[in-house]
């Protein structure tokens, strides 16, 4: 592999990492904002209705414990009981689904493009013989 091809491969690998990192970072920020929104909502409930209302809310949320995959699905469909669940769920989708999926797709596209170049190169050499 020539230095030019190696540099192009390294640059595209950096691009894949940057895309994945941006998506994962966006997801982490959304999860943190979801947690902050949940805490703020509980504080507002405490100020408006008192500790008994917060305890009732937390008991209601705790009674609907879901697996992680079910939480991710229910949060984006709007069926979770926690206030900040939507933002947290979208953040988890970014981190655990979109980021790895983008890496897989970018690597597949890069591999297919390299494969196509190799096939075209072989065909050119075959035609020259």
């Amino acid at each position: 592999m020539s230095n030019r091809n190696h540099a192009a491969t390294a640059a595209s690998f950096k691009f894949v990492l940057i895309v994945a990192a941006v998506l994962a970072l966006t997801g982490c920020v959304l999860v943190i904002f979801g947690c902050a929104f949940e805490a703020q909502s509980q504080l507002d409930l405490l100020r408006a209705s008192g500790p008994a209302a917060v305890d009732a809310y937390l008991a209601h949320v705790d009674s609907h414990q879901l697996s992680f995959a079910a939480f991710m699905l229910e949060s984006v469909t709007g069926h979770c009981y926690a206030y900040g669940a939507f933002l947290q769920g979208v953040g988890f989708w970014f981190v655990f689904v979109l980021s790895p999926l983008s890496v897989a797709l970018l690597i597949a596209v890069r591999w297919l493009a390299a494969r196509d170049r190799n096939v075209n190169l072989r065909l050119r050499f075959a035609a020259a013989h």
Side-chain angles (χ1 to χ4, degrees):
M1 180 183 280
S2 69
N3 286 339
R4 184 172 165 229
N5 289 340
H6 182 65
T9 303
S12 68
F13 183 70
K14 287 179 185 178
F15 176 72
V16 169
L17 287 179
I18 289 170
V19 168
V22 166
L23 286 172
L25 183 63
T26 302
C28 290
V29 168
L30 285 170
V31 169
I32 290 169
F33 280 146
C35 292
F37 181 70
E38 177 68 25
Q40 182 63 40
S41 299
Q42 288 180 19
L43 183 62
D44 291 343
L45 184 62
L46 178 66
R47 288 179 180 161
S49 302
V54 174
D55 291 338
Y57 167 74
L58 291 176
H60 183 67
V61 170
D62 287 340
S63 69
H64 295 94
Q65 289 299 315
L66 302 169
S67 67
F68 186 69
F71 170 75
M72 285 178 57
L73 183 63
E74 294 293 319
S75 64
V76 295
T77 59
H79 293 105
C80 275
Y81 294 96
Y83 290 127
F86 176 74
L87 283 175
Q88 292 174 10
V90 170
F92 286 134
W93 275 95
F94 268 82
V95 172
F96 294 110
V97 176
L98 292 178
S99 182
L101 185 63
S102 70
V103 168
L105 287 175
L106 288 171
I107 287 174
V109 165
R110 181 72 181 158
W111 179 78
L112 288 172
R115 185 172 169 250
D116 187 42
R117 270 192 309 251
N118 288 339
V119 168
N120 287 339
L121 184 62
R122 279 189 231 140
L123 288 175
R124 277 190 274 155
F125 283 143
H129 287 286

